């Protein structure tokens, strides 16, 4: 409630306007998010797997091996780019199949150069995408706040979704 009030105050502070203010805790937001999840799942764009890697609790972020740096204070120890300690973590997660869309996105961006501007930023995006896109982790099991993942319509007996919230 406190954070929501702060965001509402920012509207007038910065002279922003909006048609309405939607809180993520509202039933209409939950229902819309779960409906989108179901559509993506029906299209085969969501799957259950394991997300693992170097995790920094302080940063609330996973890092790849390439992103880690040597800890100046503890030789031989690797830390996050922010200097935060990391630990190897593996957790069950649903993933969005972003990799499936790398080629169509590239084709669209090339066919519609005005889609991303200026041209320098478009070139950065295309360069980033050149090595392919990784699928995105879109659920968590390590906290309870959030929108519950809806049951899988194709597998009514499955309870895998019950511990997951989407983010």
């Amino acid at each position: 409630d406190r954070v929501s009030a702060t965001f509402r105050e920012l509207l007038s502070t910065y002279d922003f306007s909006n048609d309405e203010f939607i809180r993520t805790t509202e039933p209409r937001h939950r229902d819309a998010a779960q409906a989108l999840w179901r559509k993506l799942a029906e299209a085969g764009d969501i799957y259950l797997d394991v997300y693992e890697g170097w995790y920094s609790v302080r940063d609330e972020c996973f890092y790849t091996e390439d992103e880690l740096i040597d800890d100046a204070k503890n030789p031989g120890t690797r830390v996050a780019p922010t200097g935060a300690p990391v630990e190897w973590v593996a957790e069950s997660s649903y993933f969005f199949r972003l990799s499936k869309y790398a080629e169509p996105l590239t084709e669209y961006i090339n066919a519609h150069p005005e889609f991303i501007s200026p041209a320098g930023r478009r070139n950065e995006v295309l360069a980033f995408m050149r090595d392919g896109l990784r699928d995105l982790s879109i659920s968590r099991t390590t906290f309870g706040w959030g929108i519950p993942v809806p049951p899988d319509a194709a597998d009514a007996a499955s309870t895998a979704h019950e511990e997951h919230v989407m983010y």
Side-chain angles (χ1 to χ4, degrees), residues 10-18:
L10 284 174
L11 294 172
S12 61
T13 301
Y14 289 101
D15 197 25
F16 292 153
S17 64
N18 62 311

Side-chain angles (χ1 to χ4, degrees), residues 1-67:
D1 290 340
R2 182 176 41 84
V3 172
S4 175
T6 300
F7 277 103
R8 289 175 193 261
E9 290 169 14
L10 284 174
L11 294 172
S12 61
T13 301
Y14 289 101
D15 197 25
F16 292 153
S17 64
N18 62 311
D19 295 330
E20 59 186 306
F21 190 91
I22 302 171
R23 292 189 58 177
T24 57
T25 54
E26 292 181 37
R28 65 186 173 141
H29 174 74
R30 180 203 60 230
D31 295 347
Q34 288 180 331
L36 175 60
W37 184 285
R38 286 186 190 97
K39 277 189 107 42
L40 292 170
E42 288 168 13
D45 288 339
I46 293 179
Y47 63 95
L48 184 62
D49 204 345
V50 174
Y51 194 99
E52 59 185 335
W54 294 105
Y55 185 73
S56 165
V57 173
R58 185 180 83 189
D59 298 344
E60 294 184 4
C61 184
F62 277 93
Y63 293 101
T64 65
E65 188 73 39
D66 293 342
E67 293 174 307

Side-chain angles (χ1 to χ4, degrees), residues 2-3 9 22 68 74 102-103 105 132 167:
R2 182 176 41 84
V3 172
E9 290 169 14
I22 302 171
L68 299 180
N74 299 307
E103 188 176 325
L105 277 170
Y167 73 101

Side-chain angles (χ1 to χ4, degrees), residues 56-116:
S56 165
V57 173
R58 185 180 83 189
D59 298 344
E60 294 184 4
C61 184
F62 277 93
Y63 293 101
T64 65
E65 188 73 39
D66 293 342
E67 293 174 307
L68 299 180
I69 60 172
D70 291 324
D71 186 352
K73 297 176 187 171
N74 299 307
T77 302
R78 307 279 282 159
V79 294
T82 61
V86 293
E87 60 187 82
W88 188 262
V89 173
E91 81 176 68
S92 174
S93 180
Y94 283 94
F95 288 81
F96 172 68
R97 204 176 303 276
L98 181 62
S99 58
K100 172 181 169 181
Y101 295 97
E103 188 176 325
L105 277 170
T106 301
E107 290 173 5
Y108 185 87
I109 293 167
N110 285 326
H112 302 88
E114 74 286 353
F115 183 66
I116 301 175

